[in-house]
Amino acid sequence: MSKTVELDWENLGFSYIKTDYRYLSYWKNGKWDDGTLTEDNKVHISEGSTALHYGQTVFEGMKAYRTKDGGINLFRPDQNAERMQRSCSRLLMPTIPTSVFIDAVKQVVKANEAYIPPYGTDGSLYLRPYMIGIGDNIGVKPASEYLFSIFCIPVGSYFKGGLIPTNFLISDYDRAAGNGTGAAKVGGNYGGSLLPGSEAHKRNFSDAIYLDPITHTKIEEVGSANFFGITKDHKFITPYSPSILPSITKYSLLYLAKERLGLEVEESDVYVDELDQFAEAGACGTAAVISPIGGIQYKEDFHVFYSETEVGPITQKLYNELTGIQYGEVPAPEGWIVKV
Ligand code: PLP
Ligand code: COI
């Protein structure tokens, strides 16, 4: 059994704690340095950093899982590397090659192995890769220098409740513009979501759900996860839109729903006035895993899906399949699991 630090593993939630090491690499004069692990969790940057003024920041979210035999699994880290490359390109930032990204992730996981929640606790080690524009700048143009870092924290459920359904509020605000940065994992999308998110929390909802910014008739996504619904005739449907974040979990579920559960699957428009078609609904993402949605408040109407207190049977099956693969209990499709 590998050694772990003393933590309340069963009740971790999703909060920052300082772990021992983080990866740090700088880009200067057109190239990345070799990157190192450091114990310092403070970032020292110029007051002229574009990250501070113009939102030149991108990030990723991924997890390492402790398996029953004591191994450590990463789930589709190549997909995070590639999405980060697309996010960087959208903000005119340099990119990190996939092999360098995965190697850095492995270094961070190994160096903080004692913080990986033990197998059976449902926890995981959340990894937060990020890149920011730094250096002495002031005009609105790409930074002269960049910092790429990865830190990690042990986590449990993102939404209170885990597999117990929670409720969501359709927001009047837009998360992203039609042709904006919605599909990139950039800081600005999240800064703009703080107010709608806080309004939802104040009214006891888990988070805001956004409608499409052009017609305000179709569900886009949750502030921190994608949306899916299971129709009464067992079809897995998830919104298709150029302004939502292409969730790696969502694409994994599209595959698993079809290939492992034998469901019909579809990425298509999900009209907010057609929620009646769904027997079950959920939010999916790295942090959210699969979080069942009990009900959705839209203006004056509160629409309940399967139940406000119990997870639906298909959502439960998808959860078992996905987390079974992540924790190494269920055979994974080719290339999905990378061992540390
Ligand atoms: N949508 C948003 C806005 C997110 O922040 C996230 C989290 O990464 C997701 C969806 C889910 O994406 P993934 O499954 O790749 O973690
Ligand atoms: C993730 O699931 O990794 C996210 O980025 C969601 C949220 C914590 C921002």
Side-chain angles (χ1 to χ4, degrees), residues 194-207:
L194 295 178
L195 177 62
S198 126
E199 287 184 359
H201 297 147
K202 273 191 207 140
R203 294 175 60 186
N204 279 329
F205 294 100
S206 275
D207 205 347

Side-chain angles (χ1 to χ4, degrees), residues 166-175 193 195-201 203-213 215-223 225-228 239 270-276 278 281-282 293-305:
T166 59
N167 300 329
F168 289 76
L169 173 68
I170 303 259
S171 180
D172 292 333
Y173 293 98
D174 294 332
R175 170 182 172 273
S193 77
L195 177 62
S198 126
E199 287 184 359
H201 297 147
R203 294 175 60 186
N204 279 329
F205 294 100
S206 275
D207 205 347
I209 289 182
Y210 298 92
L211 299 182
D212 72 285
T215 70
H216 297 116
T217 58
K218 296 174 269 184
I219 288 192
E220 289 257 294
E221 64 173 321
V222 179
N226 276 181
F227 173 89
F228 69 86
V270 173
Y271 288 93
V272 67
D273 61 1
E274 291 179 3
L275 294 181
D276 265 352
F278 296 117
I293 299 180
I296 289 183
Q297 183 80 37
Y298 177 49
K299 298 191 191 294
E300 305 309 315
D301 295 333
F302 184 63
H303 180 90
V304 175
F305 295 98

Side-chain angles (χ1 to χ4, degrees), residues 247-265:
S247 156
I248 295 158
T249 315
K250 187 262 296 285
Y251 284 112
S252 305
L253 291 179
L254 276 165
Y255 178 88
L256 296 174
K258 182 163 185 269
E259 302 298 331
R260 300 273 172 99
L261 270 59
L263 306 182
E264 254 184 79
V265 300

